[in-house]
């Protein structure tokens, strides 16, 4: 388990997502398809993908690591403003 902050900013047709977890920062770019936010990004020497959907005012979904992505992780982004 871990916690951090994900900032989602609208940038035209796409979204810039910046995560800070334990002092480490990563960035990704996302697009909405219907109500699902699909995100790809870079973390260190690797990358990741997310699929997030709205649920109870938050975004909930799954992610996979591009280097060791044989299992999915779960994630909840709680809206703070």
């Amino acid at each position: 388990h871990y916690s951090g902050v994900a900032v989602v900013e609208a940038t035209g047709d796409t979204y810039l997502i910046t995560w800070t977890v334990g002092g480490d920062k990563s960035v990704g770019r996302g697009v909405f398809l219907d109500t699902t936010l699909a995100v790809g990004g870079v973390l260190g020497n690797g990358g990741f993908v997310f699929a997030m959907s709205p649920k109870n005012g938050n975004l909930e979904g799954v992610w996979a690591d591009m280097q060791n992505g044989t299992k999915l992780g779960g994630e909840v982004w709680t809206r703070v403003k």
Side-chain angles (χ1 to χ4, degrees), residues 60-73:
E60 296 186 20
V62 295
W63 59 269
D65 179 309
M66 297 296 282
Q67 291 179 334
N68 303 306
T70 60
K71 294 186 179 184
L72 294 176

Side-chain angles (χ1 to χ4, degrees), residues 4 8 11-12 17 24 26-27 31 34 37 49 54-55 57 59 61 64 71:
V8 179
T11 53
I17 297 89
D24 294 327
S26 57
V27 295
V31 297
D34 294 323
L37 176 62
V49 294
K55 185 174 182 184
L59 287 174
K71 294 186 179 184

